[in-house]
Amino acid sequence: MTLDEAWRILQEKQFKRTKNRDTILQFFSENDRYLTALEVKNFMEEDNPGISFDTIYRNLSTFSDLGILEETDLNGDRHFRMQCDPGVHHHHFICTACGKTRSISHCPMEMITVNLPDYEVEGHKFEIYGKCPLCVAK
Ligand SMILES: [Zn+2]
Ligand SMILES: [Zn+2]
Ligand SMILES: [Zn+2]
């Protein structure tokens, strides 16, 4: 997702263009990987010392609810990244060394639901972890 697409969604939902939101989205658009709120905070403190985790988490949750950011738990911490494939159901390979992700459009659920004929499935999570080609080569 580009910054323009993100702002179009925010403006459709009547969110104002604030400097904090601008800075956060800028940071995500420049980093093609999962980031923690702490990384966002460290980046924002250059311009805005004393910005609180509350403010950051509130914005990250808004972006995540609107589908601008994708969210996952890694090592017990919430991680966020820019939506990499808007509107398309996909999963991720996540590099455990550099945090870069690769979108996978194949969903294994079609195979799995065959084994759950009498169940009502409400959701699923599927992630693959390992080293990306660049980190393997190091
Ligand atoms: Zn994605
Ligand atoms: Zn890597
Ligand atoms: Zn899926």
Side-chain angles (χ1 to χ4, degrees):
M1 170 159 326
T2 65
L3 282 174
D4 283 349
E5 287 170 321
W7 279 114
R8 199 164 52 232
I9 293 169
L10 283 162
Q11 272 153 5
E12 267 169 27
K13 305 283 178 191
Q14 321 286 328
F15 284 96
K16 284 208 195 73
R17 186 159 193 156
T18 64
K19 189 156 185 300
N20 280 342
R21 289 186 181 133
D22 237 348
T23 311
I24 293 173
L25 288 175
Q26 192 78 44
F27 187 51
F28 278 101
S29 78
E30 285 165 6
N31 287 279
D32 184 25
R33 62 188 180 88
Y34 271 109
L35 302 163
T36 61
L38 180 63
E39 287 175 280
V40 176
K41 188 169 188 279
N42 288 342
F43 174 76
M44 292 190 77
E45 274 180 336
E46 290 168 21
D47 265 0
N48 192 345
I51 184 155
S52 70
F53 270 117
D54 254 21
T55 305
I56 288 168
Y57 270 121
R58 200 164 346 104
N59 281 300
L60 294 178
S61 298
T62 301
F63 296 153
S64 172
D65 289 346
L66 295 174
I68 293 167
L69 296 181
E70 302 183 79
E71 183 178 345
T72 192
D73 267 333
L74 293 172
N75 313 315
D77 266 334
R78 287 170 79 185
H79 282 65
F80 302 85
R81 59 155 295 123
M82 202 70 149
Q83 173 66 251
C84 63
D85 224 343
V88 179
H89 180 82
H90 65 279
H91 295 278
H92 298 116
F93 176 94
I94 304 173
C95 179
T96 53
C98 71
K100 283 217 175 72
T101 64
R102 186 197 159 118
S103 165
I104 302 158
S105 58
H106 181 77
C107 177
M109 276 310 279
E110 292 147 40
M111 275 146 50
I112 293 161
T113 45
V114 174
N115 298 304
L116 298 163
D118 299 323
Y119 292 78
E120 192 178 306
V121 175
E122 292 173 346
H124 65 278
K125 278 186 167 184
F126 181 71
E127 279 174 346
I128 306 166
Y129 310 102
K131 304 252 184 321
C132 74
L134 278 174
C135 290
V136 168
K138 268 179 204 162

